[in-house]
Amino acid sequence: MSSALTEIPELRKVSLTRPIAPPSHRIRQDRDIDAWKKTTGYKDYCLWVVRLNSSVIGQDIPTVAGTPRSQAVNKVVELLDELKKWVDEIPPYGDKQRFGNLAFRDWGKRLQNNAAQLLHKTLPQEYHPAIPLLMPYFMSSFGDFTRLDYGSGHELSFAVFLMGLTLVRFFKPTPDEERHLVVTVFGKYLEVTWYLQDVYRLEPAGSHGVWGLDDYHFLGFLWGSAQLRGQSSIAPSSVLNPPLSPTNLYNMQVSRIYQLKIGPFFEHSAQLHAIATGVPNWDKVNAGMLKMYEAEVLNKRVVVQHLPLGGLLAWD
């Protein structure tokens, strides 16, 4: 997954005029990763991540937020606001468990019962044939309702959900729209998932969030480092000196770590500390993030084995 700013191809368009078989779980063994990396779906997703990354280079949150946004972006933000409102309507049980409040299962049950209706309300009629193809990703975007955890695999599901909406052209693959997908839509998604993690005390998926840069997420750091590219006056080491200005997703992610964790930064966030002290500029940070995301998320069986493949995420 290259960060080179040469001409980036446009994401292909998928027609909904003919039936498309729904996605299914295809990765069960390590050797299946090699097949996954050769598929059209894998290439589409890597291209989509790079396109969004390129769109926000040097673009801070206030700048993007001040530009007009499409009705499609507004509709998905409304959808996420609705899901956040449910958290207040389904309070946590009064137990003393450190991780995993069982009320999260009630929230998940409401999502399961209402997901199709929500997507029908969000998408115009012409996109309704895509709903069965999008549903598996939407349903797994917010955590596991059995294990009561959340990790970068769930974040990946939401990203694939957004990519699918771009493939069918509900979202348009233009720089302005792609900037809003990062700053406005993904920014709102972070807000919702952070709220879910806090209220229901969700456990990090995997071994203490080993596949994320914090315990839960990755993409905010990746796209946030793109926002900081070209900022010669702000060194990567600046994140070691809080408080941080919330003008990009990277600072927001690191600020959340300071909010949740105590003790020396180099102890609880060793990888981020190594980046802050060992990488000279944001161009190199961002390029390294792209490579790391592909290696540590997309090519890790323990993460992508839960991702349904086929359908819009074409397996061919």
Side-chain angles (χ1 to χ4, degrees), residues 71-148:
Q71 183 66 10
V73 167
N74 288 335
K75 292 295 285 184
V76 175
V77 169
E78 289 173 12
L79 169 64
L80 292 169
D81 278 331
E82 175 73 10
L83 298 181
K84 186 180 178 185
K85 186 175 72 174
W86 290 359
V87 181
D88 297 325
E89 297 170 356
I90 305 173
Y93 298 156
D95 54 43
K96 301 296 182 183
Q97 288 177 280
R98 183 183 173 198
F99 285 119
N101 193 284
L102 291 173
F104 184 52
R105 290 180 181 166
D106 297 337
W107 189 93
K109 193 172 295 183
R110 182 183 289 191
L111 180 65
Q112 186 174 9
N113 292 338
N114 291 276
Q117 179 184 349
L118 287 170
L119 292 181
H120 275 86
K121 178 182 174 183
T122 299
L123 302 178
Q125 178 74 36
E126 65 198 273
Y127 299 105
H128 286 185
I131 290 176
L133 307 173
L134 295 164
M135 186 79 77
Y137 306 112
F138 181 62
M139 285 298 302
S140 60
S141 290
F142 303 96
D144 188 284
F145 307 123
T146 300
R147 297 192 304 269
L148 307 177

Side-chain angles (χ1 to χ4, degrees), residues 28-44:
R28 296 176 178 84
Q29 304 176 56
D30 287 341
R31 67 169 178 257
D32 295 331
I33 293 293
D34 290 330
W36 151 235
K37 289 162 64 176
K38 295 173 184 174
T39 64
T40 297
Y42 184 90
K43 294 170 185 172
D44 283 343

Side-chain angles (χ1 to χ4, degrees), residues 186-208:
F186 187 77
K188 176 62 69 173
Y189 170 74
L190 284 178
E191 180 185 319
V192 174
T193 52
W194 287 345
Y195 199 40
L196 287 166
Q197 290 158 25
D198 291 346
V199 172
Y200 299 127
R201 300 196 299 277
L202 301 185
E203 188 168 8
S207 177
H208 303 293

Side-chain angles (χ1 to χ4, degrees), residues 15-75:
S15 172
L16 295 172
T17 57
R18 55 189 176 85
I20 302 173
S24 60
H25 291 95
R26 297 172 185 262
I27 296 179
R28 296 176 178 84
Q29 304 176 56
D30 287 341
R31 67 169 178 257
D32 295 331
I33 293 293
D34 290 330
W36 151 235
K37 289 162 64 176
K38 295 173 184 174
T39 64
T40 297
Y42 184 90
K43 294 170 185 172
D44 283 343
Y45 182 72
C46 289
L47 173 60
W48 181 81
V49 169
V50 168
R51 286 183 62 88
L52 266 61
N53 187 78
S54 177
S55 76
V56 293
I57 290 175
Q59 300 282 322
D60 63 24
I61 290 173
T63 298
V64 178
T67 62
R69 60 196 208 189
S70 68
Q71 183 66 10
V73 167
N74 288 335
K75 292 295 285 184

Side-chain angles (χ1 to χ4, degrees), residues 53-54 56-59 221-229 286:
N53 187 78
S54 177
V56 293
I57 290 175
Q59 300 282 322
F221 294 100
L222 193 163
W223 289 328
S225 66
Q227 291 181 280
L228 286 159
R229 285 180 66 163
N286 185 232

